[in-house]
Amino acid sequence: MVRLSPVKACNDCPIRYRAVCAECDPDELAVLEQMKTYQTFETGAHLAAAGEDLDHFSSIVTGCATMSRTLEDGRRQTVGLLLPSDFIGRPGRGQSAFDVQALGPVTLCRFERHSFERLVRETPHIASRLMTMSLDELDAARDWAVVLGRMTAREKLAAFLVSLTRRFAQGAGGPRPGGGGVTLQLPLTREELADHLGLTIETTSRQMTALRKDGLIDLRPAREVFIPDFGALCAEAGEDGDGGPIV
Amino acid sequence: MVRLSPVKACNDCPIRYRAVCAECDPDELAVLEQMKTYQTFETGAHLAAAGEDLDHFSSIVTGCATMSRTLEDGRRQTVGLLLPSDFIGRPGRGQSAFDVQALGPVTLCRFERHSFERLVRETPHIASRLMTMSLDELDAARDWAVVLGRMTAREKLAAFLVSLTRRFAQGAGGPRPGGGGVTLQLPLTREELADHLGLTIETTSRQMTALRKDGLIDLRPAREVFIPDFGALCAEAGEDGDGGPIV
DNA sequence: ACAGGAACTTGATCTCGATCAATGCGGGAC
DNA sequence: GTCCCGCATTGATCGAGATCAAGTTCCTGT
């Protein structure tokens, strides 16, 4: 059976980040609590536009979003998937280099940019936490470049499902392990998936079907994907079959 | 004529980063000066291996290096090109997620990791400078994902030449503007180029020839590339033809 | 329940880049 | 000089994924 390593996000700290919020100083928390405002967006809403000034930074509370770029001729590439606890905006960056768009209804916990930047300047451990988050994103972006540049369509799809399962396993509302497998709720349409994988919608759909016919996944209504054997899917994604945990 | 925007690296500060070193405090510089040691590596040397502990962080003084990952079956993808003034290693990261390999003879300015991390902890503006560098790399990695995922072989090559020209323009020993064009010294073999572009060596060579036949570049001995019209090459890379500066 | 539309699947064909296979070139050792 | 050997180019063919074109399923609103 697959081992899950769920690390729950801290609900008290607005910069929710895995379990490190245990380090949060009560005084800092109080400052952040005073600063924050919640805002909800509808499906497809633009949370940020490439090149536009950001007046707020935010942490995703519920829902998912993509970061993407669209070329003049309409070709689109998604460069990152944002899940609950992910942070939008970074100190010293007044604007986003990419479009950020809600995949479904999204609730953000927002902080006025200048106040937040001041807080970061005065609070080294928050700065260091943001650094860690950025470095994680950097590694993830480079990992994804390997997938985009060198993997086949089937491997891309398997790699995405594996990575999404692992990321959800670290937060709440993620995949439900049980019955010798894992159930995953896909937050993306086939088109959004294709844009993330650097494929067309048709190829994405075909490879999805191929994985289903090979018994690696089961496709259920409402974009639910059942993974009977997580290790087998990892192997399909080109990972050495050490049957490691979902992390 | 193409406008160049050269921003020279600061030679005094060991964390050379564009022109921000002007901010370096003399005391910090003294500490760094005491810490640093120079080391030279031969072509092909491994400056860091994926998953191996780093005992030093370093700044590239001369030469170039790649960050790459090689899959079990030999497929390789380069995820970043490191040029003089680029930094290897980040506070809080004891190991590199990728292999770092010298493309030619490389000289590094090295800092013992723990001492450097202590300095960073005690010096917010160095931490903030490292944050800026990391965010630049993050944007670059995501930009490159768009190239890998959605561009044709010809566009990939043009985009790479454009990006390399711009990066060299910010440092020393870069492209020589003049005669209505720019001369670029390619630090990579066709194979290394192919690994960066997510192509095969043959396709890379063919597209190089195609760009030459179309008058967009001229190929000279010793991996020298002459770009007669930088704006035209930018257009080929899918950029809007605003004839912007090399930045 | 039904209608409409968006999301998804499947099929037929085409094309760009991969693969297989020579051939050309250029620089260093002697 | 000329013999190498690694790097680069070019050619012929193949195949994974794109493209064009129907269908089918699923969700939503009434």
Side-chain angles (χ1 to χ4, degrees), chain B residues 23-93:
Chain B
E23 296 171 16
C24 273
D25 183 305
D27 291 344
E28 293 161 14
L29 279 181
V31 173
L32 282 163
E33 281 297 313
Q34 234 180 348
M35 244 189 229
K36 77 180 184 190
T37 57
Y38 289 100
Q39 190 165 353
T40 300
F41 295 85
E42 293 178 354
T43 301
H46 287 266
L47 308 182
E52 233 176 51
D53 283 348
L54 294 172
D55 49 344
H56 287 81
F57 291 162
S58 15
S59 181
I60 296 186
V61 179
T62 61
C64 303
T66 53
M67 301 183 62
S68 68
R69 171 165 303 153
T70 305
L71 306 179
E72 292 78 33
D73 58 6
R75 286 177 286 177
R76 178 186 305 187
Q77 178 66 46
T78 296
V79 298
L81 196 57
L82 299 165
L83 304 187
S85 92
D86 282 334
F87 201 79
I88 301 171
R90 286 292 186 277
R93 299 273 146 151

Side-chain angles (χ1 to χ4, degrees), chain B residues 207-237:
Chain B
Q207 294 302 329
M208 209 80 163
T209 304
L211 288 179
R212 179 176 58 71
K213 286 189 176 157
D214 293 345
L216 288 155
I217 58 175
D218 189 22
L219 298 176
R220 296 172 178 176
R223 277 181 217 144
E224 202 174 270
V225 179
F226 176 71
I227 304 168
D229 180 352
F230 190 74
L233 195 62
C234 289
E236 209 62 44

Side-chain angles (χ1 to χ4, degrees), chain A residues 73-86:
Chain A
D73 58 6
R75 285 178 286 177
R76 178 185 305 187
Q77 177 66 45
T78 296
V79 298
L81 197 58
L82 299 164
L83 304 187
S85 92
D86 283 334

Side-chain angles (χ1 to χ4, degrees), chain A residues 69 72 75-77 79 93 98 132 134 136-137 139 142-143 145 148-150 155 194-195 199 238, chain B residues 69 72 75-77 79 93 98 131-132 134 136-137 139 142-143 145 148-150 155 194-195 199 238:
Chain A
R69 171 166 302 154
E72 292 78 34
R75 285 178 286 177
R76 178 185 305 187
Q77 177 66 45
V79 298
R93 299 273 147 151
F98 296 89
T132 303
S134 302
D136 284 347
E137 287 185 42
D139 283 346
R142 288 172 168 162
D143 283 343
L148 288 176
R150 289 299 185 201
E155 288 169 328
D195 285 341
L199 298 172
Chain B
R69 171 165 303 153
E72 292 78 33
R75 286 177 286 177
R76 178 186 305 187
Q77 178 66 46
V79 298
R93 299 273 146 151
F98 297 90
M131 180 65 157
T132 303
S134 303
D136 285 346
E137 287 185 43
D139 283 346
R142 286 172 169 164
D143 282 343
L148 288 176
R150 289 300 184 199
E155 289 169 327
D195 285 340
L199 298 172

Side-chain angles (χ1 to χ4, degrees), chain B residues 114-163:
Chain B
H114 293 291
S115 322
F116 189 83
E117 286 183 330
R118 193 175 338 107
L119 177 72
V120 170
R121 241 177 282 124
E122 293 162 1
T123 322
H125 104 253
I126 291 186
S128 131
R129 211 177 328 150
L130 285 167
M131 180 65 157
T132 303
M133 293 172 78
S134 303
L135 292 177
D136 285 346
E137 287 185 43
L138 182 53
D139 283 346
R142 286 172 169 164
D143 282 343
W144 198 247
V146 178
V147 173
L148 288 176
R150 289 300 184 199
M151 290 199 173
T152 64
R154 183 187 177 96
E155 289 169 327
K156 283 179 176 182
L157 200 38
F160 175 75
L161 293 173
V162 163
S163 125

